[in-house]
C-alpha cells in the first residue's frame, strides 16, 4: 500500500543527455535503508520496479545492478540511477523518476520543553506547527528557537523560531518529515529578587530570547515603595561578578538599560533592617535557587 506519494522527478534533456533537476531543498526527505522506492523510466513501462533499500543503502536496479541511494533525496537518486544506466551503456537518454512509496521510519520525535514529548506517527511531511501541536504545544519554559534534525543528516540541523507573531510563525514554517527529530530547548531564566512586587525567576521566551534589566523588573511587577533602587545589584552567573547599579537612574534615562544573560540575578534591596538577612551574594544566589519561575508575557 502506498503511504506517501511525493514525486521527485529528474528530467534529462534528450538532445544533450545532461541531467536537469532542481536542487534538493532543505525540506527534502532523504532516502534511508528500509524505504520502498518506485523507479520508472519515461515510455518504458517494462522497466518499472519497486525495490526496497537494503541495509547497505543500495537498491537493485534492473539491468545495471545495485545503486547507492541512502542519504540522497529522490531527485538525487534519480540522477544516480540515470548516470548508472548511461555509464553502463544500457540506456542512452533515460528520463528517470524516483518516488518514495513507503518510508521505513514513519514517526517524528519531539523532545525537550514540549507538554507531551515522545514519538508521534506521521506518514507525510507536515508543517512544524502541526507537529508541535501533536505534543500539546510548547510548555511555559520553552525557548522559541527550536531545532529540527533531519533523518540521516545529524550534522545540519535546521533552526525555526516559533514567533509570538502568529502571521510570522505561519509564513516562516518549515516541513517536518517522517524520521525527523524536533528539539525544543529550555529558555534562559533570569531572577528578580528582593523588594519587588513579584520576586521570582522569569523565562526569556520572547522572540529574541532576551531581556533587559527594566524588562525583568517590569515582569516582577516593579519595585516596592520601600526598595532602594540606587543600591540594586546585578550578579552574573557566567563569571560570578557583582555590579551595583542604580535602577532609578536607568528608569529616568540617565543611564543606559542593558541586557541580562541567562542565570543572572537582579537584586533590589529592602530597607536596611530587612536586607541584613540575605545581604551577601551567596544568600541571594541561594534565594534564587528556591524562587518560583514564571513565564515572561
Amino acid at each position: 500500500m502506498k503511504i506517501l506519494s511525493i514525486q521527485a522527478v529528474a528530467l534529462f534533456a534528450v538532445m544533450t543527455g545532461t541531467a536537469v533537476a532542481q536542487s534538493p531543498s532543505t525540506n527534502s526527505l532523504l532516502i534511508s535503508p528500509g524505504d520502498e522506492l518506485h523507479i520508472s523510466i519515461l515510455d518504458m513501462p517494462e522497466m518499472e520496479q519497486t525495490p526496497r533499500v537494503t541495509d547497505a543503502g543500495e537498491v537493485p536496479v534492473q539491468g545495471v545492478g545495485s545503486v547507492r541511494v541512502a542519504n540522497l533525496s529522490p531527485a538525487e537518486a534519480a540522477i544516480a540511477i540515470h548516470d548508472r544506466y548511461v555509464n553502463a551503456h544500457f540506456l542512452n537518454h533515460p528520463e528517470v523518476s524516483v518516488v518514495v512509496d513507503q518510508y521505513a521510519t514513519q514517526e517524528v520525535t519531539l523532545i525537550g520543553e514540549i507538554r507531551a514529548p515522545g514519538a508521534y506517527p506521521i506518514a507525510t511531511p507536515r508543517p512544524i506547527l502541526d507537529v508541535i501541536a501533536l505534543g500539546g504545544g510548547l510548555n511555559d519554559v520553552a525557548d522559541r528557537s527550536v531545532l529540527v534534525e533531519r533523518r540521516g543528516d545529524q550534522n545540519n540541523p535546521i533552526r525555526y523560531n516559533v514567533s509570538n507573531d502568529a502571521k510570522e510563525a505561519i509564513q516562516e514554517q518549515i516541513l517536518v518529515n517522517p524520521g525527523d527529530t524536533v528539539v525544543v530547548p529550555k529558555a534562559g531564566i533570569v531572577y528578580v529578587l528582593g523588594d519587588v512586587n513579584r520576586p521570582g525567576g522569569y523565562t526569556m521566551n520572547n522572540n529574541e530570547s532576551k531581556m533587559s534589566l527594566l524588562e525583568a523588573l517590569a515582569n516582577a511587577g516593579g519595585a516596592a515603595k520601600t526598595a532602594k533602587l540606587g543600591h540594586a545589584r546585578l550578579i552574573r552567573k557566567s563569571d560570578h561578578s557583582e555590579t551595583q547599579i542604580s535602577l532609578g537612574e536607568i528608569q529616568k534615562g540617565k543611564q543606559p538599560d542593558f541586557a541580562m544573560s541567562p542565570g543572572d540575578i537582579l537584586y533590589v534591596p529592602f530597607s536596611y533592617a530587612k536586607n541584613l538577612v540575605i545581604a551577601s551574594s551567596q544568600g541571594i544566589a541561594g534565594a534564587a535557587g528556591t524562587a518560583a519561575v514564571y513565564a515572561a508575557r
Side-chain angles (χ1 to χ4, degrees):
M1 179 178 66
K2 293 186 179 181
I3 296 182
L4 180 59
S5 184
I6 297 178
Q7 188 165 11
V9 181
L11 295 177
F12 303 95
V14 174
M15 297 300 294
T16 63
T18 303
V20 178
Q22 291 185 347
S23 298
S25 73
T26 55
N27 285 330
S28 294
L29 285 80
L30 301 182
I31 297 170
S32 294
D35 290 351
E36 183 179 297
L37 306 185
H38 184 176
I39 303 172
S40 59
I41 300 173
L42 185 64
D43 296 330
M44 300 185 69
E46 70 278 6
M47 300 292 290
E48 186 172 347
Q49 52 190 310
T50 56
R52 192 170 289 276
V53 182
T54 66
D55 290 341
E58 300 176 338
V59 287
V61 178
Q62 184 178 344
V64 293
S66 295
V67 178
R68 183 166 183 80
V69 295
N71 296 325
L72 299 181
S73 67
E76 291 170 330
I79 293 173
I81 294 170
H82 163 272
D83 291 346
R84 176 64 64 85
Y85 275 129
V86 173
N87 294 335
H89 304 291
F90 192 88
L91 296 171
N92 290 327
H93 305 292
E95 296 184 18
V96 182
S97 167
V98 173
V99 178
V100 180
D101 275 353
Q102 185 175 7
Y103 289 94
T105 302
Q106 297 186 60
E107 290 182 335
V108 61
T109 302
L110 303 178
I111 60 176
E113 302 305 321
I114 292 286
R115 295 190 184 279
Y120 293 87
I122 62 171
T124 62
R126 297 183 62 176
I128 189 168
L129 294 181
D130 289 0
V131 171
I132 291 175
L134 292 174
L138 306 181
N139 63 29
D140 289 339
V141 296
D143 194 313
R144 292 189 169 273
S145 180
V146 306
L147 291 177
V148 178
E149 179 187 288
R150 295 299 192 198
R151 181 185 66 165
D153 189 16
Q154 298 178 349
N155 296 324
N156 297 289
I158 298 171
R159 189 174 297 277
Y160 170 75
N161 185 59
V162 187
S163 176
N164 285 313
D165 184 309
K167 184 177 180 180
E168 180 179 324
I170 293 172
Q171 289 179 341
E172 300 297 324
Q173 282 194 95
I174 60 174
L175 292 179
V176 177
N177 304 321
D180 287 353
T181 299
V182 178
V183 182
V184 182
K186 188 175 183 178
I189 299 176
V190 298
Y191 298 90
V192 185
L193 303 176
D195 202 8
V196 294
N197 291 309
R198 195 173 70 153
Y202 292 89
T203 57
M204 306 169 75
N205 60 354
N206 54 22
N207 282 347
E208 295 78 25
S209 298
K210 296 178 181 179
M211 189 177 296
S212 72
L213 283 172
L214 293 185
E215 287 173 335
L217 184 63
N219 283 326
K225 293 180 179 180
T226 55
K228 290 188 175 181
L229 296 179
H231 294 78
R233 281 182 277 172
L234 178 66
I235 301 171
R236 293 283 193 190
K237 179 182 179 181
S238 57
D239 57 7
H240 305 288
S241 63
E242 181 178 338
T243 305
Q244 182 169 315
I245 57 178
S246 175
L247 288 174
E249 295 295 298
I250 295 175
Q251 286 178 328
K252 294 174 183 176
K254 295 181 179 181
Q255 292 183 13
D257 193 8
F258 54 91
M260 298 183 72
S261 299
D264 283 357
I265 302 171
L266 173 61
Y267 178 67
V268 183
F270 298 91
S271 64
Y272 179 77
K274 295 180 180 179
N275 193 42
L276 285 175
V277 180
I278 53 172
S280 68
S281 298
Q282 292 83 357
I284 296 171
T290 59
V293 176
Y294 303 93
R297 300 299 181 187

